[in-house]
Amino acid sequence: MALAEISVIPLGTPTASIGDWIAQAIRVLDKEGMKYEISPMGTLIEAEISDVFRVASKMHKSVFGKGITRVVTTVTIDDRRDKSVTMKSKVASVKKRL
């Protein structure tokens, strides 16, 4: 299982707000039944690595339209192979150390 942070940023929106486009990208995760958490700066997902790449591509493509002709998407992946990790377990690990 991999953890990934995906940030999709539409360029050239009519206003500074990009919430409508972000919601469009999140709908992809809902449709795919992915486990995710929204943060102020991106969306975290838990998935097999192949699914991470597949949904990241779908999220990226979903934002085009409504006058948007350019989208920047960043993907950060934590693919640990020595043990199973989840979003919850990583947070718990840090909190335990506080």
Side-chain angles (χ1 to χ4, degrees):
M1 184 77 61
L3 303 179
E5 181 179 47
I6 302 172
S7 179
V8 180
I9 305 165
L11 301 179
T13 58
T15 69
S17 176
I18 59 172
D20 289 340
W21 288 272
I22 302 306
Q24 182 65 33
I26 299 300
R27 284 187 192 99
V28 169
L29 297 174
D30 284 333
K31 193 182 259 188
E32 295 287 327
M34 303 293 292
K35 184 172 184 178
Y36 68 90
E37 291 183 18
I38 300 169
S39 79
M41 300 298 291
T43 302
L44 305 171
I45 66 171
E46 285 179 12
E48 295 300 324
I49 193 69
S50 58
D51 292 329
V52 169
F53 289 114
R54 182 177 55 78
V55 298
S57 176
K58 285 185 174 187
M59 290 172 74
H60 176 83
K61 292 174 185 173
S62 75
V63 177
F64 285 99
K66 294 184 185 179
I68 300 301
T69 58
R70 187 174 183 185
V71 176
V72 174
T73 298
T74 59
V75 180
T76 304
I77 298 170
D78 181 355
D79 187 12
R80 188 166 180 174
R81 303 286 173 97
D82 63 326
K83 71 178 193 176
S84 179
V85 295
T86 64
M87 291 181 282
K88 189 175 183 176
S89 72
K90 286 187 74 163
V91 171
S93 177
V94 172
K95 285 184 175 182
K96 180 175 71 173
R97 291 170 167 88
L98 294 174

